[in-house]
Amino acid sequence: MFGRGPRLFAGAVIVACMVLVGPSAPSGALFARSQPVEAVRDVVPNRVMTWNICNPCEVSNVDRAAEIAAYAPQVIGLQEACVRDVERIREYLRSLHGLVYHVEYGTVLRSWGRCGGVPWSPGAYGQAVLSAAPMTDRVSMEYPDGGSEDRGYMAVTTTVGGQPARVFNTHLAHRRQEAVRARQVGVLAADVARHDRAIVLGDFNAVPDTSELARMWALAADTDTQCHPSPVGACEPTTDWQTKFDYVFLRGIAPLEHRVRPSPYSDHHLVYADLGRNEDAGS
């Protein structure tokens, strides 16, 4: 029989491991290792996706990866993304679904409450872009005023539908901070305006007819072709509370198809779009 001392030591080791892993650890991680690897499949080369994956949330990264793999986009913009979670999602996409992605991060803060880790080294939190093609010229910017929490945007150059495009990913200030979001959109729009072919993904925390989105609408159109700033029209909701907060804005690129898919793993739906070539080419 083991004595009380060794049992207490073992219990302490278990608790320490739980602290090191943190609250964002995937509940299905051990289960995932026993799953068979699916046949390798290709990404859809002209498909882009945006998804606020919800952190902190007790959600399995195995399930998040499966949601992404069901649509296999070329480019994915994630918001509320903890680096630890994204690395696990990438690994599950590769090992369970045969989908290989490059990644770039737009970290805006380090947060134990959102991303776990240890008190002296909390997890990195912000945006991430996954791309099946290599990415270059990464920019990561914090907005001068984040509102109630640090916010920012990131940008990369990559290939979508066989052509280079500048891809932006952002998360604007929480609701009821309209003036803050207006200033953030001003910063973002000034950068977007420098590019003839741009894709802007993100959670804008604002419905289409709000004044703070006016500068984005002046530069680009949402891939939901029924959705306009005024009148609002038949914009499809992208959140569990039946509002449209998530956008795929296009500048110089034509949309082909737009889809919104509710997910049990976040309070935001997955939004993805298949894109055409240059907008002025009519294809």
Side-chain angles (χ1 to χ4, degrees):
M1 298 290 291
F2 292 107
R4 183 169 181 268
R7 289 198 303 271
L8 289 174
F9 176 77
V13 170
I14 292 171
V15 170
C17 289
M18 291 174 67
V19 170
L20 287 170
V21 170
S24 62
S27 60
L30 293 177
F31 176 76
R33 296 190 185 110
S34 66
Q35 299 305 296
V37 176
E38 295 179 1
V40 174
R41 57 180 293 181
D42 293 331
V43 299
V44 181
N46 65 331
R47 179 169 294 171
V48 297
M49 173 186 287
T50 184
W51 192 20
N52 182 321
I53 59 175
C54 183
N55 272 307
C57 293
E58 296 300 323
V59 175
S60 166
N61 288 315
V62 175
D63 294 328
R64 286 168 165 163
E67 291 280 87
I68 293 170
Y71 309 106
Q74 171 81 5
V75 171
I76 307 152
L78 301 177
Q79 303 88 42
E80 294 196 17
C82 297
V83 169
R84 180 186 294 110
D85 288 334
V86 174
E87 288 304 312
R88 289 170 176 162
I89 290 168
R90 283 181 70 216
E91 176 55 27
Y92 295 142
L93 284 166
R94 184 196 65 79
S95 62
L96 300 180
H97 305 283
L99 298 172
V100 178
Y101 288 98
H102 303 268
V103 66
E104 294 287 356
Y105 293 100
T107 296
V108 294
L109 59 87
R110 293 188 175 273
S111 172
W112 186 89
R114 283 192 177 272
C115 295
V118 291
W120 58 90
S121 183
Y125 171 86
Q127 287 73 245
V129 172
L130 279 64
S131 174
M135 292 175 278
T136 61
D137 303 319
R138 182 189 71 93
V139 169
S140 179
M141 297 288 295
E142 287 191 42
Y143 292 121
D145 182 0
S148 57
E149 180 181 79
D150 292 350
R151 294 292 164 92
Y153 76 90
M154 61 178 297
V156 298
T157 298
T158 190
T159 301
V160 181
Q163 291 188 304
R166 192 65 171 165
V167 177
F168 295 81
N169 183 21
T170 192
H171 187 191
L172 300 190
H174 289 135
R175 287 173 288 177
R176 295 182 294 278
Q177 298 181 83
E178 292 85 356
V180 174
R181 286 196 299 276
R183 291 192 291 271
Q184 292 172 347
V185 169
V187 173
L188 174 63
D191 198 349
V192 173
R194 297 172 51 240
H195 301 276
D196 294 331
R197 285 175 50 84
I199 302 165
V200 187
L201 311 170
D203 173 5
F204 284 73
N205 270 317
V207 296
D209 63 341
T210 52
S211 60
E212 61 261 35
L213 293 189
R215 291 193 64 179
M216 279 307 306
W217 287 113
L219 289 172
D222 187 47
T223 53
D224 182 351
T225 57
Q226 301 302 310
C227 190
H228 308 282
S230 181
V232 173
C235 297
E236 189 170 0
T238 66
T239 67
D240 286 352
W241 49 95
Q242 295 301 303
T243 54
K244 179 178 173 66
F245 278 179
D246 305 271
Y247 297 81
V248 178
F249 282 112
L250 300 181
R251 176 174 169 83
I253 304 171
L256 293 179
E257 188 174 32
H258 172 92
R259 290 287 182 267
V260 177
R261 293 290 182 260
S263 169
Y265 307 115
S266 176
D267 52 0
H268 286 253
H269 307 338
L270 292 88
V271 179
Y272 73 87
D274 294 343
L275 311 183
R277 296 177 73 82
N278 290 359
E279 192 172 44
D280 58 2
S283 61

